[in-house]
Every structure is written in C-alpha cells, then in structure tokens.
C-alpha cells in the first residue's frame, strides 16, 4: 500500500476552510461518489479494540427530515438546506458488553481470530470494561461507544473539508424524544442503539461572517 503524500499546508488549509455551516446552498447536491467517500472514512475510522460501535443513517427523505425538526432545535435550517443529513448512532450496553453476541461475532467472523486469541482478547476486553475504565453501567457503556463514534464524525468532517465540502455537527436535539422518533419512524432498535450526533453535509450558502477563533497554540500544548 502506498504511503499517503498530502502536503501539510493543504491539510491545514482544509481545517481553516472547515466551519460549522449554519445554512447550505440547497441548489447544490453532493454526488453519490462524494457522499460515499465521506461515509467510507467513517467505515475506516479507528475505534477502541476495533469494535466499530456505530451505525450511520443518511436521511434524504423530506418527510423524515420534517419529523426530525421538532426534536432537534439545532437542525431545522440544515434539514432544509443540506445536501445530505446523517444521524450518528452508537451501540448501547447489550451490544458492546464484553460477553455480547455482537462482540463474539466481531472476533469470530469479522476479525476471524483463532479460538485461543479470542479467549485472550475477551479477557483483556472484560478487564478493560470492569477494571480499567469502570464501565459498570449502561450509561457509561453508551458514553464510551459515543466516544468512538465521534472519531468517525471528526474523520468525516475532515475528509469533507479536504475535498471542498462543508459540514455542520449537531448536538442540539432532545435525546429521549429523538430516540423515540427513531424507534417509531426510522425502524431503529433503541435498546441497542442511541443517538450521539447529527451532521449535515453540502456546500455553504455564504462564507462565514467571522474568521476562525482559537486559543493560542501555546496555551493548549504542554511539553515535558
């Protein structure tokens, strides 16, 4: 496999280009190739133990977008104008607990590990949950899954920016009401999956009014 050779300046330019786009140009639609590229970067994202505790729903149906508006106060303008709107779901305790069927399937069928390695891997994962990270409640396990899913979110937005595509991550929603809607209208098993974020993709309607503001680099990095 060839080593990527992307200029550092081009990467920093993409990070400066990226901003939380409040309104998209509704006349500009991403191609299937463009959105699939973005989603593929989620698919290739790293996750703790490589267990990929996520699922992504691309909401293109206008009626479903309308249903999301009352439960997502941060999303209405994006739902109206974004080319593509994605829901980031994270697995709940029944899926990611060390002895779940999902974890067993990942080890046996996806990673295709031999039985002795699976036994060792399972032991490490159990100790990680019960001792190292103290993931002893359903909420803690879901929060841990969400941490992994946010890695995929960051990679999707970066990949979009590198190719001149805008995005906006959204946490402005009522989680309980949103998940009830996902269960009733989107066919999501909310015993297994919870909503971590929403994210919109498309092309900005206008450039941001203000430049990017960040704390000084020296204030966020300490060398020892």
């Amino acid at each position: 496999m060839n080593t990527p050779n992307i200029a550092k300046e081009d990467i920093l330019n993409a990070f400066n280009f990226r901003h939380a786009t409040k309104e998209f140009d509704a006349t500009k639609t991403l191609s299937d190739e463009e959105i699939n590229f973005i989603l593929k970067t989620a698919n290739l994202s790293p996750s703790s133990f490589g267990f990929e505790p996520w699922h992504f729903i691309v909401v293109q149906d206008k009626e479903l977008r309308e249903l999301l508006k009352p439960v997502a106060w941060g999303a209405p303008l994006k739902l109206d104008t974004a080319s593509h709107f994605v829901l980031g779901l994270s697995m709940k305790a029944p899926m990611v607990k060390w002895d779940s069927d999902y974890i067993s399937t990942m080890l046996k069928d996806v990673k295709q590990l031999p039985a002795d390695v699976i036994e060792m891997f399972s032991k490490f994962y159990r100790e990680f949950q019960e001792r190292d990270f103290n993931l002893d409640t359903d909420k803690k396990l879901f929060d841990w899954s969400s941490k992994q899913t946010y890695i995929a979110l960051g990679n999707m937005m970066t990949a979009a920016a590198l190719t001149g595509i805008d995005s906006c991550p959204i946490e402005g929603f009522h989680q309980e009401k949103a998940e009830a809607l996902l269960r009733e209208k989107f066919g999501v098993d909310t015993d297994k999956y919870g909503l971590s974020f929403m994210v919109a993709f498309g092309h900005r309607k206008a450039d941001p009014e203000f430049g990017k503001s960040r704390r000084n680099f020296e204030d966020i990095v300490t060398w020892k």
Side-chain angles (χ1 to χ4, degrees):
M1 185 175 294
N2 293 330
T3 302
N5 186 21
I6 305 173
K8 297 180 181 65
E9 183 180 358
D10 290 339
I11 296 172
L12 290 177
N13 284 341
F15 273 83
N16 278 305
F17 165 82
R18 190 216 63 78
H19 76 290
T21 303
K22 305 305 181 188
E23 183 176 4
F24 295 86
D25 185 339
T27 67
K28 295 180 179 179
T29 303
L30 304 184
S31 67
D32 290 344
E33 180 182 6
E34 288 173 318
I35 191 61
N36 284 332
F37 160 73
I38 291 170
L39 293 167
K40 190 66 177 179
T41 66
N43 181 220
L44 292 171
S45 292
S47 58
S48 185
F49 289 88
F51 284 150
E52 308 170 48
W54 49 55
H55 187 82
F56 305 95
I57 300 177
V58 185
V59 187
Q60 298 304 91
D61 184 279
K62 290 184 178 180
E63 291 184 5
L64 290 178
R65 286 197 183 192
E66 285 295 323
L67 290 176
L68 284 168
K69 288 181 180 179
V71 300
W73 53 266
L77 191 55
K78 290 87 167 176
L79 286 163
D80 283 337
T81 62
S83 170
H84 289 72
F85 195 87
V86 179
L87 307 179
L89 307 183
S90 300
M91 292 181 181
K92 293 184 176 180
M95 297 287 280
V96 294
K97 199 167 183 296
W98 69 270
D99 57 351
S100 72
D101 289 341
Y102 172 77
I103 297 301
S104 178
T105 297
M106 285 293 294
L107 295 174
K108 292 178 182 177
D109 299 336
V110 178
K111 297 181 180 298
Q112 298 184 347
L113 299 175
D116 59 329
V117 176
I118 289 176
E119 183 179 358
M120 179 182 66
F121 207 112
S122 297
K123 178 178 180 292
F124 287 152
Y125 186 46
R126 181 178 184 176
E127 290 177 349
F128 167 79
Q129 287 193 342
E130 295 182 348
R131 182 192 66 192
D132 299 337
F133 265 49
N134 192 29
L135 302 176
D136 56 355
T137 67
D138 289 356
K139 183 181 187 306
K140 287 182 180 180
L141 281 166
F142 176 69
D143 288 346
W144 173 81
S145 289
S146 290
K147 288 180 181 179
Q148 315 312 312
T149 310
Y150 267 76
I151 297 173
L153 170 64
N155 286 340
M156 285 192 289
M157 293 192 298
T158 298
L162 283 164
T163 52
I165 295 169
D166 290 297
S167 63
C168 185
I170 300 159
E171 283 187 324
F173 57 87
H174 189 290
Q175 193 168 39
E176 185 177 343
K177 292 179 180 178
E179 289 188 12
L181 177 66
L182 295 184
R183 181 173 58 253
E184 295 166 9
K185 299 297 183 179
F186 288 74
V188 174
D189 186 343
T190 54
D191 290 330
K192 296 181 178 179
Y193 290 91
L195 180 62
S196 292
F197 61 77
M198 303 174 178
V199 59
F201 295 101
H203 291 286
R204 66 189 68 181
K205 185 175 182 180
D207 287 330
E209 184 176 354
F210 303 103
K212 194 179 293 292
S213 60
R214 289 294 187 273
R215 294 161 59 196
N216 290 330
F217 182 75
E218 296 76 12
D219 292 338
I220 68 165
V221 178
T222 298
W223 292 77
K224 295 291 187 180

